[in-house]
Structures are given as structure tokens and as C-alpha cells.
Amino acid sequence: MAQQPQAVQEETRILVWDIPTRIFHWLLVLCFVIAYLTSESERWQLWHVTSGYVFGALLLFRMLWGVVGSRYARFSQFVRGPRQVLAYLRSLLTKSPEHFTGHNPAGALAIVGILSLGLLTVLTGWASFNDYGDWIGELHEGIVNVLLIIIGVHIVGVLVSSVLHRENLARAMINGHKRGVAVEAIRYPQWIVGVLLLAGLITFLWALLSGELPWLMP
Ligand code: HEM
Ligand code: HEM
């Protein structure tokens, strides 16, 4: 590749996370917290099941966005094999850890785990809610416990990477901006997809609560 002129290589503040990815993340956290806190009591079951289904709808959206979304939201951009994950983790022990503009390979591994176990959680929750047997309820709880561990690792990973790279990653997931060279920025924040995502979620919530989806809410 041709050498870029110095000015082009200079690091500035660039847009990395589009609006739909940010809406997805923080609504996912909110739904998870509500579903978890309401899981133990019958009284809160409507809240548990509803927040759980919205959690599932968000995951389905993210699967799609991982294929057609903007640069750093695509799975092909951040899902890496075990060798690259190890190489990244080893680089964290050195003075100049490898810096990634999008997700780092170790973080990506946790993300794949959260997306897949998240979907299994919703599937087993649905089966348990529809009385497919007590064991399904146990499985549902077991999967959630593994998911909790991965989420714990995810949060610690975010904190550790933020310190080592001297970059507030949680803030980047809020305002969308990270450090990088101008050519690496995404061009569009994708506002329209963000609005469509919210509209889709509100419609789904309305259909769920007004009894239009009996196969989900008998
Ligand atoms: C308050 C706690 C949390 C914070 C501060 C946080 C922060 C972050 C940050 C900074 C990223 C981007 C990582 C990167 O820069 O590579 C991220 C990604 C992600 N986090 Fe969290 N997270 C939290 C809780 C959670 C929870 C509870 C879940 C799951 C239920 C979750 C699921 C994800 C997923 C799936 C991604 C990938 C985002 C995407 O590319 O769409 N996070 N998180
Ligand atoms: C973010 C998603 C979810 C999380 C974190 C979650 C978490 C949990 C947890 C921790 C329990 C065990 C509670 C206990 O101590 O007894 C539980 C039970 C249950 N969940 Fe979920 N859940 C989620 C989604 C769902 C969904 C989408 C449904 C149904 C549509 C569902 C239906 C149920 C039912 C029926 C039980 C009782 C199971 C039994 O006692 O056998 N959950 N959930």
C-alpha cells in the first residue's frame, strides 16, 4: 500500500460506533438487568418475559447488523481466531499493546459468547415459559449463569483495556468516538437505521403486550 502523508496518519477523534450499535448495546444492558432482577418472583414474570423477549429481538437485530452494518459493526471486521486473541492478550503485557480501532480480538470473543448464549437464554426461557418441562427451566438458569460470567469478563476486559490503552472505551460506546487516523472513520452515523430499530422495538413491544403474538405470550 502507498505510504500515507504524515497529516493523514495523525491520530484524531473519529467516529467508530454507529448509532444502531450504540442503541443496541445500552438497551441490551437495560433489558438484561431488568430480566435478571425480575427473574426470581412470579409477581414480576410479565416484566421478566417481556424484557427477555426485547433482549432477544435486540440480539436478532445485531446478527443482521453484523452482516450488513457499517465497518466496525461487521463480524468480518472483528471476529478473529484463537491465535490472534492470544497474540493480543500477550501484547497487553508489553509496553505498547496492540491498538484496534474497532473491537479488539479478545473483546470480540466475549461478544460472540454473549450473542450466542444470549440467544440460547431466550430460546430456553421461551420453552420454559411454554411448559416444555422443568429441566428446560434449569437449563435456562444454567445458561444465564455462564452468561453472567462472560459479562463479568467483558466488563473487566473493558476496564483493563481502557486503562492499558489510556482510552475510555465505555464513553466511546456512548458517543461513538475513538482515537484513530481520519481514513479509519466511518462516514455515516446511520441515524435512520437507529430510528427504524427503535420503531421496530416499540412495535414489537406493543404487539407482545396486546396479545398479538400468542406463540410468544400464550
Ligand atoms: C455497565 C456495564 C457495561 C459496560 C461499561 C460495557 C461496555 C462496553 C464497551 C466499551 C464495548 C465496546 C468494546 C470495545 O471497545 O471493543 C461493549 C461491547 C459490547 N457489550 Fe458491553 N458493557 C457493559 C455491559 C454489557 C452487558 C450487561 C452486556 C450483555 C448483556 C454487554 C454486551 C456487549 C456486546 C454484545 C458488545 C458488542 C457491541 C457491538 O459490537 O454491537 N455489555 N460493551
Ligand atoms: C435476558 C434474558 C433473560 C435472563 C437474564 C433470564 C434469567 C433468568 C433466571 C436467572 C432465572 C432463574 C430464576 C430463579 O432463580 O428461579 C429465570 C427463570 C425463568 N425465566 Fe428467564 N431470563 C431471560 C429471558 C427469559 C425469556 C425470554 C423467557 C420467556 C419467554 C424467560 C422465562 C423464564 C421462566 C418461565 C423462568 C422460570 C423457570 C423455572 O422456574 O423453571 N426468561 N430466568
Side-chain angles (χ1 to χ4, degrees), residues 17 21 24-26 28-29 32 55 62 72-73 78 102-104 107 111 114-115 151 154-155 158 169-170 173 178:
W17 305 124
T21 300
F24 157 78
H25 184 267
W26 296 111
L28 193 75
V29 174
F32 183 84
F55 178 86
R62 187 64 185 89
Y72 300 104
F78 65 82
H103 294 301
N104 69 57
I111 293 168
I114 293 172
L115 296 185
I151 291 174
H154 164 64
I155 295 174
V158 166
L169 294 179
M173 206 23 113
K178 283 176 90 171

Side-chain angles (χ1 to χ4, degrees), residues 6 17 19 31 41 44 51 54 64 69 82 100 104 117 125-127 131 148 152 168 174 189-190 216:
Q6 186 99 40
W17 305 124
I19 298 276
C31 289
S41 125
W44 291 97
S51 56
V54 175
L64 182 71
F100 289 80
N104 69 57
L117 285 184
W126 169 82
D131 291 328
L148 265 182
N168 187 334
I174 296 171
Q190 305 284 359
L216 289 179

Side-chain angles (χ1 to χ4, degrees), residues 203-214:
T203 310
F204 175 62
L205 199 58
W206 174 81
L208 203 59
L209 294 177
S210 59
E212 304 275 330
L213 305 170

Side-chain angles (χ1 to χ4, degrees), residues 36-72:
Y36 194 77
L37 294 180
T38 56
S39 67
E40 299 239 2
S41 125
E42 286 275 326
R43 237 182 85 199
W44 291 97
Q45 197 179 45
L46 185 63
W47 279 86
H48 179 72
V49 169
T50 306
S51 56
Y53 280 139
V54 175
F55 178 86
L58 285 163
L59 292 178
L60 289 182
F61 164 79
R62 187 64 185 89
M63 296 288 183
L64 182 71
W65 199 237
V67 180
V68 302
S70 64
R71 185 165 171 184
Y72 300 104

